[in-house]
Amino acid sequence: MRLDRIGVDESVAAVFPPGRLVDRLGDATDESGVDVTAVDGSPEGMADCDAVVTLEHHEAYLDLSWVHSIQAGVDRFPRDRLREAGVALTNSTGIHGDAVGETVAGFVLALARRIHEYAASQTANEWNRPDWDEAWTVAGERACVIGLGGLGRGIVGRLTGLGLDVDGVRRDPLPEPGVDRVYPTGDLREAVGDARFVVLAVPLTDATRGLVGRDELAAMDDDAYLINVARGGVVDQSALVAALRDDEIAGAALDVFETEPLPADSPLWDFEDVIVSPHCAAYTRDYYRHVATVLEESVRRVGDGEDPVNRVV
Ligand code: NAD
């Protein structure tokens, strides 16, 4: 792969200022002779680029050698068309375990310690204490983490640190440090059965679309919470709304949704024990630095005639 110029697409502005990555990566790749520049996805802007770093897909990227997603998920990209066009697609898997792990720990603590309720009361200047039996502590509770990749491992580390016992689910049920029992995906309903928190950390693929539906929600305890930091499509959202409405589960913390932004008339906004966050579980002011580190290594590898890291197409 020839690599003279890398574009940083303006769509990354949803996560960090593009100029930060242009400067950081430009400094790091200076010696290798690779130029880094801001682009806007237009064919004219891309004309001199061999590669792009982006949040979103644009048609002009089918003419490049390499597209790098600043997210771990690549469900925004037309993988088959990129493959046919001979374009390499890489992702940022591996950089989100700390940030998302801490966000999930925050959700777990908020739901048990009722912090989301105090924050809601504060907006109305109201001094509302919980009932005597509403608040509880998480040590000794069980979580089930579905997907034990970069995200899942970060979540396991934070939850075991809080004293939770953790089970896991993945396609290949190999043992995982910190995880008591690893179930294969086919045993998902059994795996979630005794968990107080079920945490989703799988990519959205044909195999995981609708992975958690009516039957999986019914298999959860009625005092259990669903935490989704994966992708909205992994959960059947209408089945989730029904399970919350019928008190089949206690609540949820949701960072991702079938439609984003979550429409204003979604019933998910209004459940007392549902925390809604705007797909920002991985946000950190260091995000661009972490992406730059992955890209530096890729540029080095491409210079050595190898594949860039985290190649998915
Ligand atoms: P990863 O590739 O490191 O790990 C994914 C894990 O899921 C792997 O262990 C894989 O074996 C497992 N998996 C895949 N299909 C499965 C199935 N059918 N059943 C069980 N396990 C399965 O990726 P990651 O960095 O851990 O990220 C995972 C996903 O989380 C991403 O694809 C992305 O969609 C999402 N994500 C969301 C945010 C956010 O801000 N909310 C941030 C980062 C990643």
Side-chain angles (χ1 to χ4, degrees):
M1 181 191 303
R2 188 182 170 85
L3 199 56
D4 291 328
R5 175 171 281 195
I6 301 175
V8 174
D9 185 74
E10 63 184 9
S11 62
V12 306
V15 186
F16 51 75
R20 292 285 179 130
L21 182 60
V22 171
D23 291 348
R24 179 92 181 183
L25 191 59
D27 288 348
T29 56
D30 205 21
E31 278 182 22
S32 61
V34 177
D35 186 32
V36 183
T37 185
V39 295
D40 61 6
S42 65
E44 309 78 57
M46 297 309 303
D48 295 331
C49 291
D50 307 296
V52 71
V53 184
T54 185
L55 177 73
E56 286 171 2
H57 176 69
H58 292 287
E59 286 302 291
Y61 297 167
L62 291 165
D63 294 327
L64 300 175
S65 302
W66 171 29
V67 174
H68 180 81
S69 161
I70 63 160
Q71 294 188 309
V74 286
D75 41 287
R76 290 169 185 267
F77 295 88
R79 277 167 280 180
D80 290 344
R81 292 177 64 216
L82 288 166
R83 192 175 290 113
E84 279 163 26
V87 184
L89 175 65
T90 55
N91 68 16
S92 298
T93 286
I95 67 171
H96 300 115
D98 288 346
V100 177
E102 289 186 16
T103 301
V104 170
F107 286 150
V108 163
L109 291 173
L111 290 165
R113 306 303 308 146
R114 316 309 295 162
I115 292 164
H116 60 304
E117 289 198 327
Y118 312 145
S121 295
Q122 189 179 350
T123 61
N125 294 16
E126 280 175 8
W127 183 266
N128 287 331
R129 286 191 170 135
D131 286 343
W132 71 273
D133 59 352
E134 268 187 78
W136 44 288
T137 57
V138 297
E141 295 287 349
R142 185 164 290 282
C144 180
V145 179
I146 301 171
L148 294 171
L151 222 61
R153 281 194 288 269
I155 294 165
V156 170
R158 296 318 184 289
L159 297 190
T160 52
L162 291 173
L164 283 100
D165 300 317
V166 180
D167 290 336
V169 175
R170 69 171 157 209
R171 284 172 297 188
D172 200 352
L174 293 170
E176 177 69 33
V179 179
D180 297 338
R181 293 169 291 189
V182 180
Y183 294 84
T185 316
D187 293 348
L188 183 63
R189 288 179 210 159
E190 185 189 343
V192 301
D194 61 351
R196 196 78 192 264
F197 296 100
V198 173
V199 189
L200 299 175
V202 284
L204 179 62
T205 64
D206 290 345
T208 62
R209 190 174 293 281
L211 187 69
V212 174
R214 203 174 53 176
D215 293 342
E216 291 68 30
L217 292 161
M220 288 170 61
D221 270 348
D222 57 9
D223 67 354
Y225 296 84
L226 181 73
I227 299 180
N228 189 4
V229 287
R231 283 291 182 269
V234 175
V235 177
D236 176 343
Q237 203 166 285
S238 33
L240 174 61
V241 169
L244 290 162
R245 203 170 266 156
D246 298 343
D247 292 325
E248 280 183 21
I249 63 171
L254 307 169
D255 186 53
V256 285
F257 303 88
E258 274 174 3
T259 304
E260 294 180 8
L262 183 64
D265 61 356
S266 169
L268 288 171
W269 290 109
D270 301 320
F271 288 106
E272 236 168 56
D273 268 340
V274 173
I275 297 175
V276 168
S277 62
H279 198 154
C280 58
Y283 275 42
T284 156
R285 64 176 67 169
D286 289 324
Y287 200 126
Y288 75 94
R289 288 196 180 93
H290 297 156
V291 172
T293 304
V294 175
L295 289 166
E296 276 172 56
E297 175 61 11
S298 283
V299 169
R300 191 193 63 72
R301 289 195 193 182
V302 171
D304 289 346
E306 299 167 21
D307 263 347
V309 292
N310 288 349
R311 183 163 182 175
V312 289
V313 166

